[in-house]
Amino acid sequence: QVQLVESGGGSVQAGGSLRLSCAASGRAFSSYAMGWFRQAPGKEREYVGIFRWNGGNTIYADSVKGRFTISGDNAKNTVYLQMNSLKPEDTAIYYCATGRATILLPPNYDMDYWGKGTLVTVSS
């Protein structure tokens, strides 16, 4: 049974940093892409970044490029989202997901498994 569990969310002031973790289990995740997504109040889900275990280029949304970094620990089946220079507009529920990620379109972005999310709140 595939499970994805996000952790690391919380409250932080603008300009601060936070690292989210996604612990994965239940399949050979190295065969699939993993990604981070977020949904802010009143908005649809958007992608933050797509990570590939094969070492291919990680794709980031323009809104977070240069501030957020995705990394993975294959031995631990864990993917991280390092968030720096956080802004109030980064406030959202952040989700980890895995799948083919061949289509970057909301709401599901061609991902077949999703975590339940972790809340990140950025205040001024």
Side-chain angles (χ1 to χ4, degrees), residues 28-110:
F29 291 99
S30 61
S31 299
Y32 299 87
M34 300 190 73
W36 286 97
F37 304 82
R38 67 185 184 184
Q39 187 166 23
K43 299 178 65 177
E44 67 179 351
R45 181 187 292 154
E46 63 181 358
Y47 89 98
V48 173
I50 305 296
F51 173 85
R52 301 185 187 277
W53 293 105
N54 64 6
N57 291 337
T58 301
I59 301 170
Y60 296 98
D62 289 341
S63 60
V64 307
K65 191 175 299 181
R67 300 187 298 120
F68 291 10
T69 302
I70 300 174
S71 61
D73 186 334
N74 187 57
K76 297 181 179 179
N77 280 333
T78 300
V79 176
Y80 305 94
L81 177 64
Q82 179 66 47
M83 303 183 291
N84 298 324
S85 301
L86 283 162
K87 305 175 181 179
E89 50 263 45
D90 293 320
T91 296
I93 298 174
Y94 284 72
Y95 299 90
C96 175
T98 185
R100 295 178 180 177
T102 56
I103 303 173
L104 291 177
L105 293 173
N108 294 325
Y109 295 91
D110 199 26

